[in-house]
Amino acid sequence: MGSEIYRVGIYLRLSREDAIKEKNKEKVNKDESGSISNQRDIICKYIRDNNLLLVDEYIDDGFTGTNFDREGWNRLISDIENKRINMVITKDLSRFGRNEGQQLRYLDYFYENNIRYVAILDNVDTFDEYNTSNEMIPIQCFFNEKHVRDTSKKMKASVYNRRSQGNFLGKTAPYGYIKDPENKYKLLIDEKAAEVVRRIFDLFVSGKGISEISRILTDEKVPIPSEYKNLNVGRKSTAYGIWDLRTISDMLQLPTYVGDLTQGRSKKPSYKSKRRIRPKKEDWIICEGKCPAIIDRETFNLAQDIYSRNKNQGKNSQDILLKGFVYCKECGHTIGFRLQTVTTKTKGEVTRCYGNCNYWAKHKRYGVCTPHNLKYFELEELILGEVKKMCKKYLKTNDLKNVLASSDKTKKVLLDLEMKLKKLEVEVEFSSKKKEDLYNDKLEGIIDLEMYKRMTNRITEETLAKKDEIKEINTKIYNIKNNIIDNDKKYDKVIKEYLSMKKPSVQLLSSIIDKIEIDEEKNIDIYYKFKPLENGY
């Protein structure tokens, strides 16, 4: 390993799960867990015994190993880039991380940048070419991640069972409730907030819309739920303090308010992800009669009927062709249109239509966005003219009929890609089982260590290659789905409609236009479903 001077960065990590285990143990100090200190002691002894130069330490206390976006780890990589350290030491590979793919990629990064890496308890030293433990790194990484995956499955099953029994396991109680001080798994009514909940339901069933309820509560300066509960919501936007329509909508549909404790309304798509998604309503965990009711069932059911009826009801939508297509370029919300019938001296009764940014219209008194005043019929004439012009040029230059017909070929390509993707995903999943089978074969003496290492390494390499291929296929599928023309009509008829545009339907426009963006200066951008020509359309 030569006489090179190694400038060491020691990396120390403790996961949230390990931190919970440490909870009842004696801490070295009030800011640091005992495990972190134990890791430091082991590494510092190794540094002393091997005459290495300690430059800095990088700590992530309470961070999962499946995600490498950690403050301490990012600082370590920055110091490597800046040539401050050329050696990294951890207690073992699991402190480094528990994400097989990411670990192997970072080890490649260390190799490419001539960074020596040592995991003491796993006897790993990447600069020791005679160290056979280095060959076991992919296997150890696999089992480190498997540990997290298995733990996640067990925790999910445990949480589901406890929730199904009517235990509340949320971090904070739903708005209108507090946790019972004597039993944190039970809810009690918070009368002050419950009055707001009752008022929201009363306003709704009396005929007030969600937008109007938002304005009433905001004007009266009723604290929004996050403000009322003193939650840390991070950076406050210009709309902070305004009752969000989604919040009110969610409250109106929450069965908890009639005493049916409802949980599981959001979840992570995987144990590696920070993102949360909303499951379908049928996947919620609802336990009848497991918490006190704020709203009587008759009022709640009436609210559900009104909500369901209003959800799919678009006022005068049949008269506004571009409804739902036009967006504000500044804030990304839709442009809303309203019809007005007025009586004039010369023309008698005349129908006019005006448009504004919906977000501005709902919250204009709070200074969010700008009006984007539009005369609808002028806009419609302009848009249809531009689409007609584009169709003529496209047909003349690129044979639109063939472009549309090619969508059938595209659908076949998409089907082939989806089948290949499914096959690869099954193979990747099966590779984990093959590794486990090999490990059991080694334990039972069916294969020796050398064969075990060779076969496992080959499976790992194949799996990583398949994961990269899965990523590429997902990208291709996404691109195809966002550019494919959905065309179920005869091509000749579609082309004729494109060019005539005498009575275009919403369905016809949907096959051509993805969306239209308009800024405050009335500049218009039309985004088409298929790739436009490069000469200005």
Side-chain angles (χ1 to χ4, degrees):
M1 286 180 278
S3 58
E4 181 179 353
I5 297 176
Y6 289 105
R7 301 181 303 279
V8 177
I10 66 176
Y11 181 70
L12 315 168
R13 185 187 67 81
L14 183 71
S15 68
R16 293 185 183 90
E17 292 75 18
D18 290 335
I20 293 172
K21 294 176 183 177
E22 289 270 336
K23 186 176 180 180
N24 296 321
K25 295 182 181 179
E26 181 181 357
K27 300 292 190 297
V28 172
N29 61 59
K30 64 179 181 180
D31 298 317
E32 181 176 281
S33 62
S35 178
I36 291 291
S37 299
N38 293 336
Q39 292 174 51
R40 182 187 294 111
D41 290 344
I42 292 170
I43 295 172
C44 285
K45 182 178 185 303
Y46 181 91
I47 290 173
R48 291 194 303 270
D49 293 345
N50 290 275
N51 298 313
L52 302 171
L53 178 62
L54 175 59
V55 173
D56 206 345
E57 64 177 32
Y58 308 84
I59 304 175
D60 286 314
D61 197 347
F63 285 82
T64 177
T66 59
N67 190 330
F68 275 79
D69 186 13
R70 320 171 201 141
E71 183 179 350
W73 182 260
N74 291 336
R75 190 166 65 86
L76 179 144
I77 296 299
S78 176
D79 281 354
I80 289 176
E81 296 286 342
N82 294 322
K83 311 297 183 184
R84 187 166 178 248
I85 59 174
N86 62 1
M87 182 174 180
V88 176
I89 304 178
T90 62
K91 187 190 80 169
D92 55 42
L93 278 165
S94 69
R95 297 306 94 197
F96 176 10
R98 291 186 184 273
N99 183 317
E100 179 186 8
Q102 287 280 62
Q103 279 185 280
L104 295 178
R105 285 180 174 82
Y106 270 114
L107 287 168
D108 286 341
Y109 167 81
F110 288 166
Y111 177 78
E112 291 169 0
N113 288 274
N114 201 34
I115 303 298
R116 182 181 174 189
Y117 171 67
V118 170
I120 298 170
L121 298 189
D122 290 321
N123 196 31
V124 167
D125 185 341
T126 58
F127 274 28
D128 185 355
E129 58 183 303
Y130 301 107
N131 186 350
T132 57
S133 295
N134 292 343
E135 299 176 17
M136 300 294 290
I137 290 176
I139 301 167
Q140 189 63 48
C141 289
F142 164 76
F143 281 106
N144 284 340
E145 180 171 339
K146 184 178 183 300
H147 170 77
V148 178
R149 186 165 59 247
D150 292 345
T151 301
S152 175
K153 288 179 181 178
K154 291 176 183 177
M155 289 181 66
K156 282 183 178 179
S158 174
V159 168
Y160 181 85
N161 288 334
R162 294 169 72 188
R163 282 176 169 173
S164 298
Q165 294 168 5
N167 295 300
F168 178 76
L169 300 182
K171 185 177 180 181
T172 59
Y175 183 73
Y177 293 94
I178 57 173
K179 290 185 178 182
D180 186 341
E182 297 181 1
N183 185 348
K184 63 181 181 179
Y185 303 117
K186 298 296 179 184
L187 296 178
L188 299 177
I189 293 177
D190 177 356
E191 282 300 334
K192 187 175 180 181
E195 281 304 310
V196 179
V197 175
R198 295 185 187 104
R199 189 169 179 219
I200 288 172
F201 275 87
D202 288 342
L203 288 169
F204 188 69
V205 299
S206 67
K208 302 292 185 186
I210 293 175
S211 296
E212 191 172 357
I213 295 171
S214 167
R215 285 195 291 271
I216 290 171
L217 297 178
T218 303
D219 286 344
E220 294 179 1
K221 299 190 183 303
V222 177
I224 60 175
S226 59
E227 183 182 3
Y228 178 77
K229 293 191 174 188
N230 294 316
L231 298 179
N232 181 14
V233 294
R235 184 178 178 182
K236 296 177 176 60
S237 69
T238 56
Y240 182 76
I242 299 173
W243 275 80
D244 186 68
L245 305 187
R246 183 67 173 267
T247 299
I248 298 172
S249 174
D250 286 349
M251 290 171 65
L252 288 169
Q253 299 175 80
L254 183 60
T256 297
Y257 290 132
V258 287
D260 299 340
L261 182 62
T262 304
Q263 300 180 86
R265 293 192 300 151
S266 71
K267 67 177 183 179
K268 292 182 179 180
S270 85
Y271 65 92
K272 296 181 183 180
S273 176
K274 288 184 177 180
R275 185 171 62 93
R276 300 196 72 84
I277 60 175
R278 288 174 170 249
K280 295 179 181 178
K281 193 169 183 178
E282 52 264 32
D283 294 328
W284 294 356
I285 303 171
I286 303 176
C287 297
E288 295 184 7
K290 290 295 183 178
C291 66
I294 293 176
I295 305 298
D296 64 85
R297 200 167 291 273
E298 183 180 353
T299 301
F300 184 81
N301 290 339
L302 177 58
Q304 304 318 296
D305 290 341
I306 296 172
Y307 187 91
S308 178
R309 185 168 63 251
N310 291 346
K311 184 178 181 181
N312 300 315
Q313 185 176 0
K315 185 178 180 181
N316 295 323
S317 59
Q318 68 276 13
D319 299 319
I320 303 177
L321 184 64
L322 298 181
K323 182 180 176 69
F325 287 95
V326 189
Y327 290 80
C328 169
K329 193 173 186 66
E330 276 74 20
C331 72
H333 289 78
T334 53
I335 299 290
F337 298 103
R338 63 189 185 281
L339 289 168
Q340 289 183 346
T341 302
V342 296
T343 302
T344 64
K345 292 181 179 179
T346 55
K347 297 182 179 180
E349 202 171 76
V350 178
T351 299
R352 295 173 180 169
C353 187
Y354 301 96
N356 293 114
C357 169
N358 270 327
Y359 193 56
W360 171 84
K362 290 170 183 173
H363 305 302
K364 54 187 172 184
R365 67 189 68 189
Y366 308 110
V368 294
C369 205
T370 51
H372 293 66
N373 295 316
L374 297 168
K375 293 182 179 179
Y376 172 76
F377 293 117
E378 291 180 8
L379 175 68
E380 182 183 287
E381 183 179 0
L382 175 63
I383 294 296
L384 295 184
E386 287 298 313
V387 174
K388 184 175 182 179
K389 195 189 301 182
M390 183 278 296
C391 286
K392 283 184 177 180
K393 186 172 285 288
Y394 210 108
L395 182 61
K396 181 179 179 181
T397 308
N398 213 34
D399 190 357
L400 182 59
K401 185 174 180 179
N402 291 336
V403 173
L404 292 175
S406 70
S407 68
D408 285 345
K409 298 177 184 177
T410 307
K411 288 177 182 177
K412 184 179 185 305
V413 171
L414 181 62
L415 181 61
D416 291 341
L417 284 172
E418 288 175 337
M419 291 179 66
K420 187 174 182 181
L421 177 64
K422 191 170 184 180
K423 180 174 178 291
L424 285 170
E425 287 175 338
V426 170
E427 288 175 356
V428 168
E429 185 69 26
F430 186 64
S431 66
S432 298
K433 184 178 185 305
K434 288 197 289 187
K435 285 183 180 180
E436 292 185 55
D437 291 341
L438 284 172
Y439 185 71
N440 290 329
D441 288 347
K442 185 183 77 68
L443 292 178
E444 294 173 11
I446 299 174
I447 59 174
D448 61 20
L449 179 60
E450 287 303 315
M451 181 176 288
Y452 170 69
K453 288 190 293 185
R454 187 168 60 253
M455 294 177 70
T456 306
N457 287 344
R458 179 175 56 79
I459 293 172
T460 299
E461 290 171 0
E462 291 174 352
T463 301
L464 289 174
K466 287 173 182 176
K467 285 182 177 180
D468 288 338
E469 191 173 356
I470 286 172
K471 186 176 180 181
E472 291 177 7
I473 291 176
N474 276 321
T475 300
K476 290 179 182 178
I477 291 174
Y478 175 84
N479 291 336
I480 290 174
K481 285 185 175 180
N482 281 273
N483 289 283
I484 192 170
I485 302 170
D486 184 17
N487 176 52
D488 295 321
K489 300 180 180 179
K490 294 181 180 179
Y491 299 130
D492 289 341
K493 183 179 178 181
V494 172
I495 293 172
K496 184 178 178 181
E497 285 185 297
Y498 278 171
L499 296 177
S500 66
M501 285 291 181
K502 291 179 180 178
K503 292 183 179 180
S505 64
V506 172
Q507 290 77 13
L508 178 61
L509 284 181
S510 295
S511 69
I512 308 170
I513 299 174
D514 183 24
K515 66 176 180 177
I516 302 162
E517 285 188 343
I518 301 180
D519 64 22
E520 181 63 22
E521 303 301 321
K522 308 296 188 295
N523 296 309
I524 300 172
D525 290 322
I526 303 174
Y527 295 86
Y528 297 100
K529 287 287 184 71
F530 47 84
K531 187 177 180 181
L533 300 177
E534 296 178 355
N535 56 357
Y537 292 93

